Amino acid sequence: DTEVTQTPKHLVMGMTNKKSLKCEQHMGHRAMYWYKQKAKKPPELMFVYSYEKLSINESVPSRFSPECPNSSLLNLHLHALQPEDSALYLCASSQDPGDRQFFGPGTRLTVL
Amino acid sequence: GQSLEQPSEVTAVEGAIVQINCTYQTSGFYGLSWYQQHDGGAPTFLSYNALDGLEETGRFSSFLSRSDSYGYLLLQELQMKDSASYFCAVGNNAGNMLTFGGGTRLMVKP
């Protein structure tokens, strides 16, 4: 298995909703990442998990809450989002931190 | 800190060869990787250089010169489907992250 999967593909939520994004990889990778990407911009790093521990939080607002239940799974819990949080949310994994990364297909999030 | 520079747009014709350059600044260089992203899609990994020289994968090749802090992606026999954004990204061994360049939008014309 050489892919990263993400669910859901699309998500529409109101500002008072709570939802979660899910990411899974079975490549034995030791690092997993969450990115946010706006149109025509590069991916913007949000969080890095290295060996299941949060190693980087790029000053992300607390309405985004990551969780790494095990070495294959990564969640992003969303609560009280703002319309400007609408974006493509990408999960990625790499063999080692800082190594080449493999991306999932992303979740297209719309906040109303 | 880390930073990367790449051209914002490149246009080429079908069947041609195009080179996308990337210069970077980083401490503790780990590797330079390249990603392709079509509109509406996710980045897909294309090529990676940890050491100086050329890496070839089919129609795509990537080159690295660590002494010049420079790399490029070479696309040969361009096809219409190669129209996409291309990102270079550099990793460093002091942290756990990649830093992405701003992306190069490649337009392939008939």
Side-chain angles (χ1 to χ4, degrees):
Chain A
D1 189 348
T2 57
E3 66 173 343
V4 178
T5 59
Q6 286 186 248
T7 55
K9 285 189 168 38
H10 300 275
L11 179 62
V12 179
M13 59 188 290
M15 290 190 283
T16 58
N17 292 156
K18 284 186 183 181
K19 296 286 185 184
S20 296
L21 310 184
K22 297 187 181 301
C23 174
E24 191 167 3
Q25 59 90 10
H26 293 289
M27 295 179 278
H29 286 177
R30 296 183 276 261
M32 296 184 77
Y33 312 80
W34 280 116
Y35 289 89
K36 173 183 177 180
Q37 188 178 27
K38 293 279 203 179
K40 301 191 191 305
K41 297 287 186 185
E44 182 185 327
L45 183 68
M46 300 174 73
F47 301 104
V48 180
Y49 272 83
S50 177
Y51 298 92
E52 301 175 48
K53 296 211 178 331
L54 183 63
S55 61
I56 291 180
N57 174 340
E58 290 288 284
S59 302
V60 179
S62 59
R63 57 186 185 267
F64 295 92
S65 174
E67 178 196 16
C68 187
N70 61 53
S71 59
S72 300
L73 293 173
L74 189 64
N75 298 322
L76 186 63
H77 302 299
L78 315 172
H79 174 55
L81 294 193
Q82 304 296 311
E84 60 264 28
D85 296 322
S86 298
L88 180 67
Y89 286 83
L90 295 159
C91 174
S93 70
S94 64
Q95 181 67 38
D96 294 300
D99 202 352
R100 74 200 92 174
Q101 295 180 11
F102 297 87
F103 286 82
T107 294
R108 178 77 56 188
L109 174 68
T110 303
V111 182
L112 300 176
Chain B
Q2 301 176 101
S3 66
L4 295 94
E5 294 226 2
Q6 53 181 127
S8 58
E9 280 189 11
V10 172
T11 301
V13 295
E14 217 172 354
I17 299 173
V18 73
Q19 178 173 313
I20 299 174
N21 298 321
C22 175
T23 56
Y24 60 86
Q25 288 187 323
T26 186
S27 52
F29 176 84
Y30 193 101
L32 185 71
S33 46
W34 290 90
Y35 299 84
Q36 178 192 61
Q37 187 174 26
H38 288 98
D39 287 346
T44 55
F45 171 76
L46 288 179
S47 193
Y48 176 76
N49 296 76
L51 302 175
D52 292 349
L54 192 68
E55 290 287 334
E56 296 180 82
T57 311
R59 294 188 297 116
F60 297 164
S61 304
S62 60
F63 172 81
L64 174 66
S65 169
R66 287 173 296 170
S67 61
D68 297 319
S69 297
Y70 163 75
Y72 65 71
L73 179 70
L74 192 73
L75 297 87
Q76 303 183 74
E77 300 170 22
L78 281 175
Q79 302 175 10
M80 298 297 291
K81 67 178 182 180
D82 297 328
S83 293
S85 292
Y86 293 83
F87 294 95
C88 59
V90 68
N92 77 57
N93 55 24
N96 299 324
M97 55 188 280
L98 289 184
T99 300
F100 282 81
T104 299
R105 192 163 184 84
L106 171 64
M107 291 177 51
V108 180
K109 296 189 171 180

